[in-house]
Amino acid sequence: MFKAAVFLVLVSVAFGGAKLKALKGEIAEMKESFGQVMDDTNGSLEELEAAIGDVVSMVNDMKAAQAQKDIDLAWQSLHMAGAAACRGSTPQGGKGPWSNSVIPKENGKKCSDQCKLTDRPVCKAEVSVTGYVGKATSYTQKVGHFYNYECDGGWNADINHNEVAADDGAILEVKTAYYRFCCCAKP
């Protein structure tokens, strides 16, 4: 029994020694890493301020890029709504193996004239759409509005209804602006 106890003590010491050696190695690595951090931060206050300024500048650039992505996505969503409104307003659609087009309507112009300036010269309709910000919370909640006009109508001159003349960020403003579109097709 005594021999077994001595054997267990020797094994424990051997394993304990290995664990202690491993711990000493980890402590040495931590000391080295800490030393590197200390060496890296021994710069002047001006260098630290410059580094902070660079980080702040990068964060501001990232915020501006995200804001532009939000604006671009909002305009794309409006364009898709305009395309859907045009499709719904033209049950016969266009004919042939090509797509129809949706273009922004210019104040004071007729869609029939505007379509003639494109490679889809036939006006099928003029539409005006708006939508509310946020997710719907009920099945009876209004999420948007629309108007359908004939190609020679829709003379609303409000600049807020003219996408090309509107400010880039106008799409994000919480207001009821009916953006207008011409629905154009090939003959």
Side-chain angles (χ1 to χ4, degrees):
M1 179 84 154
F2 176 73
K3 288 182 183 181
V6 171
F7 178 71
L8 288 175
V9 169
L10 290 174
V11 170
S12 295
V13 169
F15 280 120
K19 286 183 181 179
L20 183 59
K21 187 176 180 180
L23 285 173
K24 284 182 180 179
E26 289 178 20
I27 290 170
E29 285 180 35
M30 291 172 71
K31 282 183 181 179
E32 184 180 337
S33 295
F34 182 74
Q36 287 175 351
V37 168
M38 292 304 291
D39 290 343
D40 288 347
T41 58
N42 281 338
S44 68
L45 183 58
E46 291 81 18
E47 290 173 327
L48 181 59
E49 288 174 345
I52 291 171
D54 290 344
V55 169
V56 168
S57 178
M58 286 189 297
V59 168
N60 288 338
D61 290 347
M62 290 168 58
K63 284 181 181 179
Q66 185 59 50
Q68 187 60 51
K69 285 180 183 178
D70 292 346
I71 289 169
D72 292 343
L73 183 58
W75 284 114
Q76 181 189 17
S77 297
L78 176 68
H79 298 153
M80 293 172 77
C86 280
R87 180 60 187 107
S89 298
T90 57
Q92 301 305 313
K95 296 179 181 175
W98 44 80
S99 63
N100 299 311
S101 295
V102 178
I103 61 173
K105 182 169 186 308
E106 184 178 351
N107 284 354
K109 302 283 183 174
K110 297 177 182 180
C111 280
S112 55
D113 294 333
Q114 279 188 251
C115 288
K116 287 178 186 172
L117 300 174
T118 73
D119 64 345
R120 308 291 195 269
V122 177
C123 178
K124 293 290 189 170
E126 177 187 328
V127 297
S128 174
V129 295
T130 190
Y132 297 111
V133 175
K135 181 184 173 297
T137 56
S138 79
Y139 293 103
T140 58
Q141 178 182 349
K142 292 178 186 174
V143 294
H145 301 280
F146 68 94
Y147 287 100
N148 294 0
Y149 301 105
E150 293 189 15
C151 291
D152 293 329
W155 287 96
N156 189 331
D158 186 342
I159 198 69
N160 291 318
H161 299 251
N162 185 328
E163 176 182 344
V164 174
D167 291 333
D168 197 34
I171 188 73
L172 298 179
E173 295 176 17
V174 179
K175 62 180 179 185
T176 306
Y178 284 86
Y179 288 99
R180 298 167 306 160
F181 299 97
C182 300
C183 311
C184 307
K186 286 201 175 211

